[in-house]
Amino acid sequence: MQQKNIYIIDFDSTFTQVEALDELARISLKKHPEKEAIFKKIEDLTNLAMEGKLSFSESLAQRVKLLDATEDHLKQLIKHLKKKVSSSFSRNAAFFKKHADQVLIVSGGFKEFITPVVSQYHIKKENIYANTFVTTGDGRIIDYDHANPLSEEGGKVKLMQLLNLEGDLYGIGDGYSDFQLRESGMIKKFYAFTENISRESIVSRADHVTPSFDEFLYVNNLPRAISYPKNRILCLIIGEVSKESIELLKKDGYSVRHKSTFEEKYVKDVHMVLMADGEKLDPEKLKLAVKLKTIGYLGNSRNKLDIQTCTDMGIVIFDDPKNNPRDINFIPKRMMDFMNKGTTYLSHNFPNLQLPLIDKSHRLIHVHRNVPGIMAQINTVFAKHNINIVGQFLMTNATIGYAITDINAEYDKAVFKSLKKIEQTIKFRVLY
């Protein structure tokens, strides 16, 4: 009989982008004359514990004493934390709903602020393990429950020993207390979560580094909101491009490399290329870039790119042929819109198509040579596999056809092979 998988997920800097006690301090000490010095001390105590340089119990006790917080401050914190859920967790809410019995939140933080945040994602209250505050009658936080194993050094290990769960346990977190579960042998694998913070002392000892929750779901072949983790999408930036544009692409989750030339080692693996005005792309290298999906050119790409080869390979070009004064991030934004939604609006070489996101569906992109009968073949494949079409879009130009099909959540993956085999297909991909 197959063992049930159980997913043990940390809260601070994992499920949320921030350390909640640090944020609570910023709220509770807002008017304190020495607030900056106290903030710094709390942050230092947090980091020392997360890196395993200070016992968790000592760090927690010192931080709670410095807070000077009340239940009213907690209400403000909860409102703030709901806006700070890590992007890759929030977009995969469907996973938590489907696997509610298998997901545990295990944190050295506090139930008072954790439960209202994670409960929105279908995580059961009985599966939330965290510390609890001790308050006075007027709502002042003065201490925490010292009898809770999670308040102690090695608390997560102690808790798991008490729970004695049956199944294969997988841990996801950013700190030393998460790694201790792996070190103790309590879990099968430890995934260092680095979407918000990367601690070298933890990353170096992890079984797998997961820059997003999408990556964790992908490597474990679990249902996810996007078909391919953005951290696996290589975006090469060539030449003098603004720091703002580079940060924009990094923030969207891509694996960004900034180089002066299109280096040979990136040719076969690159998915996106952003080029500074004046840069050229070697046509021979372009032909070998089989994974390349879009090129952004910060100027007029004519005579700098082989436009016909790009089109023949299904590579969408976004450029600025008239050098219009506009938002410096205009081209990167168009590239991101294409990668995230399939939108080709204002592209140089593709039919112009603007697309809405459609909930509870999967988006399939089929690029083909513009010859009669392709759409009939595409829809024959869908019919053969009993696929329910939620929405469909087709635009063509003299050279190519660009078909987007949104299908319902349940489908046979064999449909992908059939779509790729249609004659005249240039590129096919599952967007989300």
Side-chain angles (χ1 to χ4, degrees), residues 362 364 378 380-389 407-420 428 430:
H362 293 274
L364 313 181
I378 290 172
T380 297
V381 169
F382 289 137
K384 182 180 176 181
H385 290 271
N386 297 312
I387 300 293
N388 180 37
I389 296 175
I407 64 174
N408 66 0
E410 301 299 325
Y411 60 87
D412 179 357
K413 288 187 178 179
V415 72
F416 301 161
K417 291 181 180 179
S418 299
L419 289 168
K420 290 176 184 177
F428 170 80
V430 182

PDB file of all heavy atoms in Angstrom, residues 362 364 378 380-389 407-420 428 430:
ATOM      1  N   HIS A 362      -6.871  25.534 -18.355  1.00  0.00           N
ATOM      2  CA  HIS A 362      -5.482  25.438 -18.790  1.00  0.00           C
ATOM      3  C   HIS A 362      -5.383  26.083 -20.168  1.00  0.00           C
ATOM      4  O   HIS A 362      -6.232  25.854 -21.033  1.00  0.00           O
ATOM      5  CB  HIS A 362      -5.037  23.977 -18.848  1.00  0.00           C
ATOM      6  CG  HIS A 362      -4.964  23.328 -17.502  1.00  0.00           C
ATOM      7  ND1 HIS A 362      -3.850  23.412 -16.701  1.00  0.00           N
ATOM      8  CD2 HIS A 362      -5.877  22.616 -16.809  1.00  0.00           C
ATOM      9  CE1 HIS A 362      -4.079  22.758 -15.576  1.00  0.00           C
ATOM     10  NE2 HIS A 362      -5.308  22.268 -15.620  1.00  0.00           N
ATOM     11  N   LEU A 364      -3.494  26.514 -23.699  1.00  0.00           N
ATOM     12  CA  LEU A 364      -2.596  25.858 -24.641  1.00  0.00           C
ATOM     13  C   LEU A 364      -2.311  26.797 -25.802  1.00  0.00           C
ATOM     14  O   LEU A 364      -3.229  27.409 -26.364  1.00  0.00           O
ATOM     15  CB  LEU A 364      -3.216  24.563 -25.169  1.00  0.00           C
ATOM     16  CG  LEU A 364      -3.836  23.604 -24.130  1.00  0.00           C
ATOM     17  CD1 LEU A 364      -4.368  22.359 -24.832  1.00  0.00           C
ATOM     18  CD2 LEU A 364      -2.845  23.236 -23.054  1.00  0.00           C
ATOM     19  N   ILE A 378      -6.816  20.881 -35.073  1.00  0.00           N
ATOM     20  CA  ILE A 378      -6.665  21.118 -33.630  1.00  0.00           C
ATOM     21  C   ILE A 378      -7.933  20.700 -32.894  1.00  0.00           C
ATOM     22  O   ILE A 378      -7.900  19.977 -31.888  1.00  0.00           O
ATOM     23  CB  ILE A 378      -6.335  22.610 -33.356  1.00  0.00           C
ATOM     24  CG1 ILE A 378      -4.916  22.937 -33.831  1.00  0.00           C
ATOM     25  CG2 ILE A 378      -6.495  22.940 -31.870  1.00  0.00           C
ATOM     26  CD1 ILE A 378      -4.569  24.414 -33.770  1.00  0.00           C
ATOM     27  N   THR A 380     -10.269  18.713 -33.921  1.00  0.00           N
ATOM     28  CA  THR A 380     -10.495  17.265 -34.045  1.00  0.00           C
ATOM     29  C   THR A 380      -9.753  16.525 -32.937  1.00  0.00           C
ATOM     30  O   THR A 380     -10.275  15.573 -32.354  1.00  0.00           O
ATOM     31  CB  THR A 380     -10.022  16.762 -35.431  1.00  0.00           C
ATOM     32  OG1 THR A 380     -10.817  17.392 -36.450  1.00  0.00           O
ATOM     33  CG2 THR A 380     -10.167  15.258 -35.537  1.00  0.00           C
ATOM     34  N   VAL A 381      -8.533  16.981 -32.634  1.00  0.00           N
ATOM     35  CA  VAL A 381      -7.756  16.390 -31.537  1.00  0.00           C
ATOM     36  C   VAL A 381      -8.496  16.561 -30.209  1.00  0.00           C
ATOM     37  O   VAL A 381      -8.621  15.619 -29.419  1.00  0.00           O
ATOM     38  CB  VAL A 381      -6.347  17.028 -31.452  1.00  0.00           C
ATOM     39  CG1 VAL A 381      -5.647  16.611 -30.155  1.00  0.00           C
ATOM     40  CG2 VAL A 381      -5.505  16.642 -32.659  1.00  0.00           C
ATOM     41  N   PHE A 382      -9.011  17.775 -29.971  1.00  0.00           N
ATOM     42  CA  PHE A 382      -9.747  18.020 -28.723  1.00  0.00           C
ATOM     43  C   PHE A 382     -10.987  17.122 -28.624  1.00  0.00           C
ATOM     44  O   PHE A 382     -11.279  16.564 -27.569  1.00  0.00           O
ATOM     45  CB  PHE A 382     -10.156  19.487 -28.620  1.00  0.00           C
ATOM     46  CG  PHE A 382      -9.007  20.432 -28.373  1.00  0.00           C
ATOM     47  CD1 PHE A 382      -8.910  21.627 -29.058  1.00  0.00           C
ATOM     48  CD2 PHE A 382      -8.029  20.115 -27.435  1.00  0.00           C
ATOM     49  CE1 PHE A 382      -7.854  22.495 -28.825  1.00  0.00           C
ATOM     50  CE2 PHE A 382      -6.967  20.971 -27.207  1.00  0.00           C
ATOM     51  CZ  PHE A 382      -6.873  22.172 -27.905  1.00  0.00           C
ATOM     52  N   ALA A 383     -11.680  16.991 -29.730  1.00  0.00           N
ATOM     53  CA  ALA A 383     -12.894  16.160 -29.745  1.00  0.00           C
ATOM     54  C   ALA A 383     -12.554  14.696 -29.481  1.00  0.00           C
ATOM     55  O   ALA A 383     -13.245  14.004 -28.715  1.00  0.00           O
ATOM     56  CB  ALA A 383     -13.604  16.307 -31.082  1.00  0.00           C
ATOM     57  N   LYS A 384     -11.478  14.229 -30.099  1.00  0.00           N
ATOM     58  CA  LYS A 384     -11.061  12.845 -29.940  1.00  0.00           C
ATOM     59  C   LYS A 384     -10.733  12.513 -28.485  1.00  0.00           C
ATOM     60  O   LYS A 384     -10.974  11.400 -28.003  1.00  0.00           O
ATOM     61  CB  LYS A 384      -9.833  12.575 -30.823  1.00  0.00           C
ATOM     62  CG  LYS A 384      -9.340  11.138 -30.782  1.00  0.00           C
ATOM     63  CD  LYS A 384      -8.118  10.968 -31.688  1.00  0.00           C
ATOM     64  CE  LYS A 384      -7.560   9.549 -31.574  1.00  0.00           C
ATOM     65  NZ  LYS A 384      -6.354   9.373 -32.419  1.00  0.00           N
ATOM     66  N   HIS A 385     -10.192  13.509 -27.763  1.00  0.00           N
ATOM     67  CA  HIS A 385      -9.797  13.299 -26.369  1.00  0.00           C
ATOM     68  C   HIS A 385     -10.856  13.796 -25.384  1.00  0.00           C
ATOM     69  O   HIS A 385     -10.585  13.898 -24.186  1.00  0.00           O
ATOM     70  CB  HIS A 385      -8.456  13.992 -26.095  1.00  0.00           C
ATOM     71  CG  HIS A 385      -7.290  13.330 -26.775  1.00  0.00           C
ATOM     72  ND1 HIS A 385      -6.571  12.320 -26.186  1.00  0.00           N
ATOM     73  CD2 HIS A 385      -6.741  13.535 -28.005  1.00  0.00           C
ATOM     74  CE1 HIS A 385      -5.608  11.930 -27.013  1.00  0.00           C
ATOM     75  NE2 HIS A 385      -5.687  12.646 -28.120  1.00  0.00           N
ATOM     76  N   ASN A 386     -12.040  14.096 -25.894  1.00  0.00           N
ATOM     77  CA  ASN A 386     -13.163  14.551 -25.054  1.00  0.00           C
ATOM     78  C   ASN A 386     -12.808  15.774 -24.203  1.00  0.00           C
ATOM     79  O   ASN A 386     -13.129  15.854 -23.020  1.00  0.00           O
ATOM     80  CB  ASN A 386     -13.647  13.419 -24.129  1.00  0.00           C
ATOM     81  CG  ASN A 386     -14.193  12.249 -24.916  1.00  0.00           C
ATOM     82  OD1 ASN A 386     -15.001  12.427 -25.830  1.00  0.00           O
ATOM     83  ND2 ASN A 386     -13.742  11.047 -24.576  1.00  0.00           N
ATOM     84  N   ILE A 387     -12.128  16.731 -24.831  1.00  0.00           N
ATOM     85  CA  ILE A 387     -11.712  17.949 -24.137  1.00  0.00           C
ATOM     86  C   ILE A 387     -12.815  19.001 -24.229  1.00  0.00           C
ATOM     87  O   ILE A 387     -13.334  19.285 -25.313  1.00  0.00           O
ATOM     88  CB  ILE A 387     -10.417  18.522 -24.757  1.00  0.00           C
ATOM     89  CG1 ILE A 387      -9.271  17.505 -24.665  1.00  0.00           C
ATOM     90  CG2 ILE A 387     -10.043  19.841 -24.094  1.00  0.00           C
ATOM     91  CD1 ILE A 387      -8.801  17.196 -23.280  1.00  0.00           C
ATOM     92  N   ASN A 388     -13.141  19.581 -23.087  1.00  0.00           N
ATOM     93  CA  ASN A 388     -14.131  20.662 -23.058  1.00  0.00           C
ATOM     94  C   ASN A 388     -13.419  21.998 -23.251  1.00  0.00           C
ATOM     95  O   ASN A 388     -12.583  22.396 -22.432  1.00  0.00           O
ATOM     96  CB  ASN A 388     -14.883  20.650 -21.719  1.00  0.00           C
ATOM     97  CG  ASN A 388     -15.914  21.757 -21.651  1.00  0.00           C
ATOM     98  OD1 ASN A 388     -16.560  22.071 -22.642  1.00  0.00           O
ATOM     99  ND2 ASN A 388     -16.062  22.361 -20.487  1.00  0.00           N
ATOM    100  N   ILE A 389     -13.734  22.713 -24.340  1.00  0.00           N
ATOM    101  CA  ILE A 389     -13.101  24.002 -24.643  1.00  0.00           C
ATOM    102  C   ILE A 389     -13.857  25.117 -23.927  1.00  0.00           C
ATOM    103  O   ILE A 389     -15.054  25.298 -24.103  1.00  0.00           O
ATOM    104  CB  ILE A 389     -13.075  24.262 -26.161  1.00  0.00           C
ATOM    105  CG1 ILE A 389     -12.193  23.218 -26.855  1.00  0.00           C
ATOM    106  CG2 ILE A 389     -12.553  25.675 -26.458  1.00  0.00           C
ATOM    107  CD1 ILE A 389     -12.197  23.311 -28.371  1.00  0.00           C
ATOM    108  N   ILE A 407      -8.822  25.170 -21.977  1.00  0.00           N
ATOM    109  CA  ILE A 407      -9.591  23.946 -21.779  1.00  0.00           C
ATOM    110  C   ILE A 407      -9.871  23.745 -20.295  1.00  0.00           C
ATOM    111  O   ILE A 407      -9.213  24.343 -19.448  1.00  0.00           O
ATOM    112  CB  ILE A 407      -8.855  22.713 -22.352  1.00  0.00           C
ATOM    113  CG1 ILE A 407      -7.534  22.470 -21.597  1.00  0.00           C
ATOM    114  CG2 ILE A 407      -8.594  22.904 -23.842  1.00  0.00           C
ATOM    115  CD1 ILE A 407      -6.821  21.197 -22.010  1.00  0.00           C
ATOM    116  N   ASN A 408     -10.838  22.892 -19.984  1.00  0.00           N
ATOM    117  CA  ASN A 408     -11.178  22.684 -18.581  1.00  0.00           C
ATOM    118  C   ASN A 408     -10.064  21.931 -17.848  1.00  0.00           C
ATOM    119  O   ASN A 408      -9.140  21.408 -18.458  1.00  0.00           O
ATOM    120  CB  ASN A 408     -12.527  21.969 -18.426  1.00  0.00           C
ATOM    121  CG  ASN A 408     -12.501  20.538 -18.965  1.00  0.00           C
ATOM    122  OD1 ASN A 408     -11.483  20.066 -19.454  1.00  0.00           O
ATOM    123  ND2 ASN A 408     -13.629  19.866 -18.861  1.00  0.00           N
ATOM    124  N   ALA A 409     -10.169  21.896 -16.529  1.00  0.00           N
ATOM    125  CA  ALA A 409      -9.072  21.411 -15.685  1.00  0.00           C
ATOM    126  C   ALA A 409      -8.747  19.935 -15.873  1.00  0.00           C
ATOM    127  O   ALA A 409      -7.621  19.514 -15.658  1.00  0.00           O
ATOM    128  CB  ALA A 409      -9.385  21.702 -14.226  1.00  0.00           C
ATOM    129  N   GLU A 410      -9.715  19.135 -16.257  1.00  0.00           N
ATOM    130  CA  GLU A 410      -9.474  17.701 -16.402  1.00  0.00           C
ATOM    131  C   GLU A 410      -9.176  17.363 -17.863  1.00  0.00           C
ATOM    132  O   GLU A 410      -9.976  17.655 -18.738  1.00  0.00           O
ATOM    133  CB  GLU A 410     -10.700  16.914 -15.932  1.00  0.00           C
ATOM    134  CG  GLU A 410     -11.072  17.170 -14.471  1.00  0.00           C
ATOM    135  CD  GLU A 410      -9.967  16.791 -13.499  1.00  0.00           C
ATOM    136  OE1 GLU A 410      -9.266  15.795 -13.769  1.00  0.00           O
ATOM    137  OE2 GLU A 410      -9.783  17.505 -12.496  1.00  0.00           O
ATOM    138  N   TYR A 411      -8.026  16.749 -18.102  1.00  0.00           N
ATOM    139  CA  TYR A 411      -7.681  16.401 -19.479  1.00  0.00           C
ATOM    140  C   TYR A 411      -6.679  15.245 -19.491  1.00  0.00           C
ATOM    141  O   TYR A 411      -6.002  14.967 -18.511  1.00  0.00           O
ATOM    142  CB  TYR A 411      -7.101  17.603 -20.222  1.00  0.00           C
ATOM    143  CG  TYR A 411      -5.848  18.164 -19.591  1.00  0.00           C
ATOM    144  CD1 TYR A 411      -4.592  17.664 -19.906  1.00  0.00           C
ATOM    145  CD2 TYR A 411      -5.919  19.193 -18.656  1.00  0.00           C
ATOM    146  CE1 TYR A 411      -3.445  18.155 -19.333  1.00  0.00           C
ATOM    147  CE2 TYR A 411      -4.775  19.700 -18.068  1.00  0.00           C
ATOM    148  CZ  TYR A 411      -3.544  19.175 -18.410  1.00  0.00           C
ATOM    149  OH  TYR A 411      -2.405  19.672 -17.826  1.00  0.00           O
ATOM    150  N   ASP A 412      -6.594  14.598 -20.633  1.00  0.00           N
ATOM    151  CA  ASP A 412      -5.643  13.524 -20.857  1.00  0.00           C
ATOM    152  C   ASP A 412      -4.381  14.147 -21.466  1.00  0.00           C
ATOM    153  O   ASP A 412      -4.440  14.787 -22.526  1.00  0.00           O
ATOM    154  CB  ASP A 412      -6.265  12.503 -21.823  1.00  0.00           C
ATOM    155  CG  ASP A 412      -5.322  11.354 -22.144  1.00  0.00           C
ATOM    156  OD1 ASP A 412      -4.172  11.367 -21.664  1.00  0.00           O
ATOM    157  OD2 ASP A 412      -5.744  10.458 -22.888  1.00  0.00           O
ATOM    158  N   LYS A 413      -3.230  13.954 -20.820  1.00  0.00           N
ATOM    159  CA  LYS A 413      -1.999  14.592 -21.304  1.00  0.00           C
ATOM    160  C   LYS A 413      -1.567  14.092 -22.679  1.00  0.00           C
ATOM    161  O   LYS A 413      -0.726  14.713 -23.334  1.00  0.00           O
ATOM    162  CB  LYS A 413      -0.875  14.388 -20.284  1.00  0.00           C
ATOM    163  CG  LYS A 413      -1.058  15.228 -19.022  1.00  0.00           C
ATOM    164  CD  LYS A 413       0.147  15.135 -18.098  1.00  0.00           C
ATOM    165  CE  LYS A 413      -0.067  16.024 -16.879  1.00  0.00           C
ATOM    166  NZ  LYS A 413       1.070  15.962 -15.936  1.00  0.00           N
ATOM    167  N   ALA A 414      -2.152  12.999 -23.128  1.00  0.00           N
ATOM    168  CA  ALA A 414      -1.833  12.490 -24.471  1.00  0.00           C
ATOM    169  C   ALA A 414      -2.247  13.492 -25.545  1.00  0.00           C
ATOM    170  O   ALA A 414      -1.735  13.462 -26.666  1.00  0.00           O
ATOM    171  CB  ALA A 414      -2.528  11.156 -24.706  1.00  0.00           C
ATOM    172  N   VAL A 415      -3.168  14.399 -25.172  1.00  0.00           N
ATOM    173  CA  VAL A 415      -3.616  15.408 -26.124  1.00  0.00           C
ATOM    174  C   VAL A 415      -2.450  16.291 -26.572  1.00  0.00           C
ATOM    175  O   VAL A 415      -2.406  16.749 -27.716  1.00  0.00           O
ATOM    176  CB  VAL A 415      -4.767  16.267 -25.534  1.00  0.00           C
ATOM    177  CG1 VAL A 415      -4.258  17.212 -24.444  1.00  0.00           C
ATOM    178  CG2 VAL A 415      -5.462  17.082 -26.623  1.00  0.00           C
ATOM    179  N   PHE A 416      -1.488  16.512 -25.689  1.00  0.00           N
ATOM    180  CA  PHE A 416      -0.352  17.367 -26.036  1.00  0.00           C
ATOM    181  C   PHE A 416       0.468  16.757 -27.175  1.00  0.00           C
ATOM    182  O   PHE A 416       0.871  17.451 -28.106  1.00  0.00           O
ATOM    183  CB  PHE A 416       0.553  17.591 -24.817  1.00  0.00           C
ATOM    184  CG  PHE A 416      -0.130  18.242 -23.639  1.00  0.00           C
ATOM    185  CD1 PHE A 416       0.420  18.146 -22.375  1.00  0.00           C
ATOM    186  CD2 PHE A 416      -1.311  18.947 -23.792  1.00  0.00           C
ATOM    187  CE1 PHE A 416      -0.197  18.736 -21.281  1.00  0.00           C
ATOM    188  CE2 PHE A 416      -1.937  19.545 -22.718  1.00  0.00           C
ATOM    189  CZ  PHE A 416      -1.380  19.439 -21.451  1.00  0.00           C
ATOM    190  N   LYS A 417       0.714  15.452 -27.090  1.00  0.00           N
ATOM    191  CA  LYS A 417       1.482  14.783 -28.142  1.00  0.00           C
ATOM    192  C   LYS A 417       0.770  14.867 -29.482  1.00  0.00           C
ATOM    193  O   LYS A 417       1.403  15.087 -30.519  1.00  0.00           O
ATOM    194  CB  LYS A 417       1.715  13.314 -27.761  1.00  0.00           C
ATOM    195  CG  LYS A 417       2.655  13.121 -26.585  1.00  0.00           C
ATOM    196  CD  LYS A 417       2.854  11.637 -26.285  1.00  0.00           C
ATOM    197  CE  LYS A 417       3.791  11.438 -25.092  1.00  0.00           C
ATOM    198  NZ  LYS A 417       3.963   9.997 -24.771  1.00  0.00           N
ATOM    199  N   SER A 418      -0.550  14.731 -29.438  1.00  0.00           N
ATOM    200  CA  SER A 418      -1.333  14.791 -30.686  1.00  0.00           C
ATOM    201  C   SER A 418      -1.266  16.174 -31.310  1.00  0.00           C
ATOM    202  O   SER A 418      -1.167  16.314 -32.537  1.00  0.00           O
ATOM    203  CB  SER A 418      -2.794  14.421 -30.407  1.00  0.00           C
ATOM    204  OG  SER A 418      -2.895  13.098 -29.910  1.00  0.00           O
ATOM    205  N   LEU A 419      -1.311  17.213 -30.473  1.00  0.00           N
ATOM    206  CA  LEU A 419      -1.260  18.592 -30.993  1.00  0.00           C
ATOM    207  C   LEU A 419       0.116  18.896 -31.589  1.00  0.00           C
ATOM    208  O   LEU A 419       0.225  19.577 -32.606  1.00  0.00           O
ATOM    209  CB  LEU A 419      -1.587  19.586 -29.883  1.00  0.00           C
ATOM    210  CG  LEU A 419      -3.050  19.599 -29.418  1.00  0.00           C
ATOM    211  CD1 LEU A 419      -3.196  20.398 -28.132  1.00  0.00           C
ATOM    212  CD2 LEU A 419      -3.968  20.176 -30.495  1.00  0.00           C
ATOM    213  N   LYS A 420       1.163  18.386 -30.956  1.00  0.00           N
ATOM    214  CA  LYS A 420       2.524  18.608 -31.470  1.00  0.00           C
ATOM    215  C   LYS A 420       2.746  17.911 -32.816  1.00  0.00           C
ATOM    216  O   LYS A 420       3.566  18.358 -33.625  1.00  0.00           O
ATOM    217  CB  LYS A 420       3.558  18.103 -30.460  1.00  0.00           C
ATOM    218  CG  LYS A 420       3.650  18.940 -29.193  1.00  0.00           C
ATOM    219  CD  LYS A 420       4.623  18.302 -28.202  1.00  0.00           C
ATOM    220  CE  LYS A 420       4.666  19.070 -26.895  1.00  0.00           C
ATOM    221  NZ  LYS A 420       5.562  18.433 -25.894  1.00  0.00           N
ATOM    222  N   PHE A 428       4.469  24.450 -29.670  1.00  0.00           N
ATOM    223  CA  PHE A 428       3.326  24.188 -28.820  1.00  0.00           C
ATOM    224  C   PHE A 428       3.784  24.261 -27.379  1.00  0.00           C
ATOM    225  O   PHE A 428       4.861  23.794 -27.033  1.00  0.00           O
ATOM    226  CB  PHE A 428       2.739  22.795 -29.091  1.00  0.00           C
ATOM    227  CG  PHE A 428       1.711  22.386 -28.065  1.00  0.00           C
ATOM    228  CD1 PHE A 428       0.408  22.863 -28.160  1.00  0.00           C
ATOM    229  CD2 PHE A 428       2.059  21.587 -26.990  1.00  0.00           C
ATOM    230  CE1 PHE A 428      -0.539  22.512 -27.200  1.00  0.00           C
ATOM    231  CE2 PHE A 428       1.120  21.234 -26.033  1.00  0.00           C
ATOM    232  CZ  PHE A 428      -0.183  21.710 -26.135  1.00  0.00           C
ATOM    233  N   VAL A 430       2.147  24.508 -23.037  1.00  0.00           N
ATOM    234  CA  VAL A 430       1.084  24.678 -22.052  1.00  0.00           C
ATOM    235  C   VAL A 430       1.483  25.870 -21.205  1.00  0.00           C
ATOM    236  O   VAL A 430       2.556  25.867 -20.586  1.00  0.00           O
ATOM    237  CB  VAL A 430       0.930  23.435 -21.153  1.00  0.00           C
ATOM    238  CG1 VAL A 430      -0.216  23.621 -20.172  1.00  0.00           C
ATOM    239  CG2 VAL A 430       0.710  22.194 -22.009  1.00  0.00           C
TER     240      VAL A 430
END
